[in-house]
Amino acid sequence: MGRLWDKLAGTKRPDAGVTPLSAEEVRTVLFGLNGPDVPYRVRNASPDEKADVVAECRLPRVGVALRTRMRLVPEKREVRVVEERWENRSSDQANAQYGRGHAPAVYRQWETKQGPDGRKQRVEVFRFDTREMTDPLRDAVLGAGWVWRGVYKL
């Protein structure tokens, strides 16, 4: 059940031979992902988030908010990760949905436009894949020689 659970939770291990960095160096690598060209922000976690580092992404265009909470466990050289998402595609708060766990998704927005032949066609005007946030975080942790362990509660 261990390997199956790891697969379902999105757990990954670093390549053999990668020298593990210290916990402070892992934090530095994660904060180094911030920049003007990334759709998310990596920051220190607040005490009520029960984590060390948090990455957040808000997509108001499609009514989605993503949060990845990360707890560094230096003695095991692993980062325990909880991926969370809130979806509310209408103005009615009663329709808001919450999800937790490893569940890659692609959010799209379409418009109907007139094509060159004069016929109406659907055109994708917005696209966001949640892996655009989680893959760089995971790759940074693995590159630091640490395990990326998906969990459902920190």
Side-chain angles (χ1 to χ4, degrees), residues 1-13 78-83 100-103 147-154:
M1 180 75 183
R3 289 194 186 267
L4 175 61
W5 179 255
D6 280 353
K7 182 175 176 129
L8 292 172
T11 299
K12 301 282 183 189
R13 289 176 174 71
E78 71 179 26
V79 176
R80 294 183 182 161
V81 180
V82 173
E83 297 176 49
R100 179 185 294 200
H102 177 67
V147 173
W148 175 267
R149 181 169 306 283
V151 297
Y152 290 99
K153 185 177 179 183
L154 289 180

Side-chain angles (χ1 to χ4, degrees), residues 10-14 21 25-35 38-44 51-58 66-72 77-84 101-102 128-150:
T11 299
K12 301 282 183 189
R13 289 176 174 71
L21 301 179
E25 290 170 313
V26 172
R27 290 174 71 92
T28 301
V29 168
L30 288 169
F31 288 123
L33 296 173
N34 283 324
V38 295
Y40 54 87
R41 183 175 76 105
V42 180
R43 61 172 176 78
N44 283 312
D52 297 314
V53 179
V54 172
E56 293 180 302
C57 181
R58 297 192 190 288
L66 305 168
R67 181 172 67 180
T68 301
R69 293 185 294 141
M70 296 167 271
R71 167 83 41 137
L72 280 64
R77 291 190 183 113
E78 71 179 26
V79 176
R80 294 183 182 161
V81 180
V82 173
E83 297 176 49
E84 299 173 293
H102 177 67
F128 181 79
D129 187 328
T130 58
R131 290 171 285 212
E132 291 177 41
M133 181 169 99
T134 55
D135 285 1
L137 295 168
R138 183 200 62 221
D139 293 347
V141 168
L142 296 176
W146 286 43
V147 173
W148 175 267
R149 181 169 306 283

